[in-house]
Amino acid sequence: MMNKELLLEKYIKVAVKKALKEAEEQQRKAEKAMYLVYRFPGLKKLMEDLMSPAFGRYINNIDIVAPKPTTFKIELINGQDFNVKYIGKGKFNVKVSGKQYHPDNLGDAERCSQSIADLLELNYAPAEGKEQTSTTPEAGPGAEELGPELAAAGPETTPPAETPAPEEETPSEA
């Protein structure tokens, strides 16, 4: 029983350290991405109009991919991306999934906003899903990601309580 508590304590410490490290890395990426947004005030206003004032939560990175016309590649948190092109005089074109939108036109702005929302729905945050898989029943969720610190704690000394596996078969639907 004592060994199980030590293992749990070690697991929690390693998980907290890993979570803090990931949060710091995400913060650095967000600061880098937001640098371009604040350097180009028109881009900030456009992103607020198309997504929301909290658009930074959904953006992983922003890069300049072409100098003239200035074209930005906006990478979303789920790996999807779209392009924003500055066409002069405070106006932008947005290209989402191969379709061009002119956000100064209200109808186009709404369609563009919906297209970005659709992109965010695709394959949402794959990094969160991998933490829910486990290779061994006694390891717990995400144990394989916690590294050698947890592995050094060793396996439990008492075997886990066995529960009989249900032997029902699900009927196959044709």
Side-chain angles (χ1 to χ4, degrees), residues 51-147:
M51 296 176 78
S52 81
F55 66 90
R57 291 180 172 171
Y58 308 103
I59 292 177
N60 198 22
N61 194 17
I62 299 176
D63 287 319
I64 297 178
V65 294
K68 277 193 177 185
T70 306
T71 306
F72 304 93
K73 178 181 178 185
I74 289 92
E75 183 183 329
L76 301 172
I77 58 172
N78 61 357
Q80 304 293 324
D81 61 33
F82 63 95
N83 292 333
V84 174
K85 187 183 300 184
Y86 179 69
I87 54 175
K89 298 182 183 170
K91 297 188 183 223
F92 292 88
N93 275 350
V94 181
K95 187 175 185 180
V96 182
S97 301
K99 175 119 176 64
Q100 291 276 347
Y101 298 97
H102 303 279
D104 43 320
N105 174 342
L106 183 60
D108 259 9
E110 289 175 358
R111 285 188 288 278
C112 181
S113 186
Q114 184 58 52
S115 293
I116 293 170
D118 292 344
L119 272 183
L120 281 166
E121 289 176 4
L122 295 175
N123 193 22
Y124 181 73
E128 290 179 8
K130 70 182 176 186
E131 290 181 13
Q132 297 174 0
T133 60
S134 174
T135 55
T136 59
E138 57 270 343
E144 68 275 356
E145 296 177 2
L146 295 178

